[in-house]
Amino acid sequence: MIFNFFWNKGKEKVQRTTLIGDQLDGGINMIDIESHITSLKLKWVKYLTDKTLDTCTWKLIPNFYF
């Protein structure tokens, strides 16, 4: 959705890998959304498997299903 907005739903004129690059390399320091979402998911897995957080009530629901 971000790239559709960025290019006004038209053809992309610059590769996405270039856009997320550093400004010195021709990019605009745009966040890589896919990598960011993946890192957030991995962070939740880390919290879910952390034994020091076993008393947290939010872990009851994922533990029930897994």
Side-chain angles (χ1 to χ4, degrees), residues 1-2 4-5 9 11 24-25 30-31 34 37-38 40-42 48 50-51 53 55 57-58 60-61 63 65:
M1 288 176 22
I2 292 173
N4 284 338
F5 173 77
K9 297 183 181 179
K11 183 179 177 187
L24 296 175
D25 296 328
M30 188 173 204
I31 187 169
E34 293 171 4
I37 290 171
T38 301
L40 289 174
K41 289 177 183 178
L42 289 172
L48 188 60
D50 189 356
K51 296 296 181 190
L53 299 175
T55 59
T57 55
W58 68 268
L60 293 174
I61 295 172
N63 284 335
Y65 287 103

Side-chain angles (χ1 to χ4, degrees), residues 4-63:
N4 284 338
F5 173 77
F6 194 74
W7 296 117
N8 197 19
K9 297 183 181 179
K11 183 179 177 187
E12 296 182 9
K13 296 169 181 64
V14 179
Q15 291 182 353
R16 293 180 183 194
T17 54
T18 303
L19 290 176
I20 62 173
D22 191 30
Q23 288 181 343
L24 296 175
D25 296 328
I28 58 171
N29 288 336
M30 188 173 204
I31 187 169
D32 185 3
I33 300 293
E34 293 171 4
S35 296
H36 186 71
I37 290 171
T38 301
S39 68
L40 289 174
K41 289 177 183 178
L42 289 172
K43 192 174 184 179
W44 276 104
V45 170
K46 177 187 170 198
Y47 287 143
L48 188 60
T49 58
D50 189 356
K51 296 296 181 190
T52 60
L53 299 175
D54 279 344
T55 59
C56 295
T57 55
W58 68 268
K59 291 178 75 172
L60 293 174
I61 295 172
N63 284 335

